[in-house]
Amino acid sequence: MSRPEPTGENRVVQPEEIFFSTTDSRGVIEKANSVFVDISRYSWDDLIGAPHNIIRHPMMPGAAFLAMWTTIQSGQPFCAYVHNLAADGATYTVLATIVPLGEGYLSVRVTPQVPEMLQAAETVYQAGRDAEWIAGEHGCGAPERARRGLDAVQTALEQSGYPDYGSFMRKALVQEVAVRRQQHHASHGMADDTALGQLSNQVNRARELVETWLSTFDGLSDLSAKAGRTARTLREAMTESQRTADAITDSREATEVSLKPLVTVLGLWTRMDAEIEPLVTGVVADLDAMAISADLTSFRLAVAYIQVESTHSFVSELWAKVDGWEHALPAINDLSRAVEEAMVEANRRLDEVRDLADRAASRIQELADLMAMPTALLTSWQQMASQRELSAGVADLVPRVEEQIGASRAMAAELTDVVGGLHKLMDASSKELNVSVLAEIRRLSAAVAAGN
């Protein structure tokens, strides 16, 4: 089958239009849905048995597909904004999720709804396309062009503040799913006791379950980032405080009898650094690890959310018996397996996050308690300094000490807030994700098939 040429037409994909497909390990399409057929303008017979790159658009850099295959062949889920080419030459753009499933792969695709992230992706894709074009001009083959394109994409992402392509797309997917969750209107399922009605209700339960856990993790990455910034700022503040103390204790007036109480307090203050520094280092490490784990968990749950949405759309096709509805039951079985695997993985990560949160909360509380001591010492120093006549050099340093007193109090308060947030997280995540609903979906799917 010859590939079409792009016509310049852009086909709009609606939020409720959800693409589904599965492939074998080589990327040959085994299953599809009516949305895929309708938007791509390929028939069922054209799609089934064809390589998935039948819809590949020439404007997509090879770097994106190199990243995809590298990720999914390692057993990890993948996500990307993708421009596709329909059989009639029209372009349509989707946010694609791909997960390994059995010996092949399962993909669910939706329309992008976060323009900023789509534009950011297009910017890095352009960097990849430029690098691949230059490599082609130098006679490089497709694999080398894709590799150089991926290097250029990586550089562009780093310049935008992202460590790698995976980090960027995880953030994009979580934001896209947040928009979809806001648009979702609660459904009460089918109002009957048939197997199909029960199946609809179980799918709604699965969506509510995934959404509940996404909500639990909504603010965790922000909480970790905030606490990490506070801890790092505290480290910088302690360094600056040491400089201030050294400047005062090294002054010519430090040996004067009237200033010795001030110097003594400063000496006690600076020695607190030896107690605080190891705790700061531990807190930063715990919070960084927790942020990474929470990021990965949110991403996996976001993939599951889109998969549950796809499952719901298949149930609707069964109910309405739209063209191609007979393809729905096998797809529902595949999707429920994929969501179940996501929840099992999320459970593993929940244990990790809980342990990290518990340890970070304990260290932060200890750090906040320790911070009260140097803050009290600084306050004492401030009071004594106000009662003495200071030399011009020492008096000039008083505002710096006062600023550090305020900063210390603010950081201690922030750390205390973080402890409260971590305890809230641990309370919310005290139960495991219940995957039994997915097995029930498969059972009911089989019952619906038997009834038909």
Side-chain angles (χ1 to χ4, degrees), residues 62-287:
F65 299 103
L66 174 58
M68 176 195 75
W69 281 109
T70 300
T71 302
I72 62 177
Q73 286 179 341
S74 71
Q76 298 301 312
F78 182 78
C79 174
Y81 291 109
V82 182
H83 302 298
N84 286 330
L85 188 64
D88 61 358
T91 298
Y92 62 96
T93 301
V94 296
L95 174 70
T97 65
I98 307 167
V99 299
L101 187 70
E103 298 299 318
Y105 304 100
L106 181 149
S107 174
V108 178
R109 303 173 295 284
V110 296
T111 187
Q113 297 186 79
V114 183
E116 299 82 4
M117 297 305 290
L118 177 59
Q119 183 55 52
E122 183 53 41
T123 298
V124 300
Y125 284 169
Q126 186 61 54
R129 285 193 292 267
D130 291 345
E132 289 175 24
W133 183 83
I134 293 172
E137 289 293 294
H138 286 83
C140 296
E144 178 62 17
R145 292 200 302 272
R147 190 192 66 77
R148 294 191 184 187
L150 191 55
D151 287 344
V153 165
Q154 174 67 25
T155 299
L157 286 167
E158 289 174 354
Q159 291 172 347
S160 299
Y162 296 96
D164 52 43
Y165 186 77
S167 297
F168 170 73
M169 286 312 309
R170 286 195 295 273
K171 179 178 180 180
L173 180 63
V174 170
Q175 289 190 14
E176 292 279 0
V177 166
V179 172
R180 298 187 72 84
R181 288 166 57 197
Q182 289 173 356
Q183 295 172 344
H184 169 65
H185 299 290
S187 171
H188 300 294
M190 315 269 180
D192 63 45
D193 292 329
T194 65
L196 182 55
Q198 294 177 55
L199 176 61
S200 172
N201 289 327
Q202 290 300 316
V203 171
N204 283 333
R205 278 190 60 203
R207 175 155 54 187
E208 291 168 2
L209 180 64
V210 174
E211 190 161 18
T212 296
W213 284 98
L214 272 169
S215 297
T216 299
F217 282 89
D218 269 348
L220 180 58
S221 293
D222 289 341
L223 179 67
S224 298
K226 173 187 174 182
R229 286 193 299 270
T230 300
R232 290 180 176 89
T233 302
L234 175 58
R235 178 182 287 160
E236 295 167 3
M238 289 302 295
T239 300
E240 180 60 28
S241 297
Q242 181 70 55
R243 293 195 190 100
T244 303
D246 289 344
I248 294 176
T249 55
D250 291 344
S251 65
R252 288 179 300 173
E253 296 88 348
T255 57
E256 293 181 12
V257 173
S258 63
L259 289 181
K260 279 189 176 180
L262 294 177
V263 174
T264 300
V265 169
L266 286 174
L268 292 171
W269 169 35
T270 56
R271 283 196 290 275
M272 292 296 300
D273 185 50
E275 299 291 332
I276 290 176
E277 174 59 28
L279 275 175
V280 171
T281 300
V283 165
V284 168
D286 286 343
L287 292 169

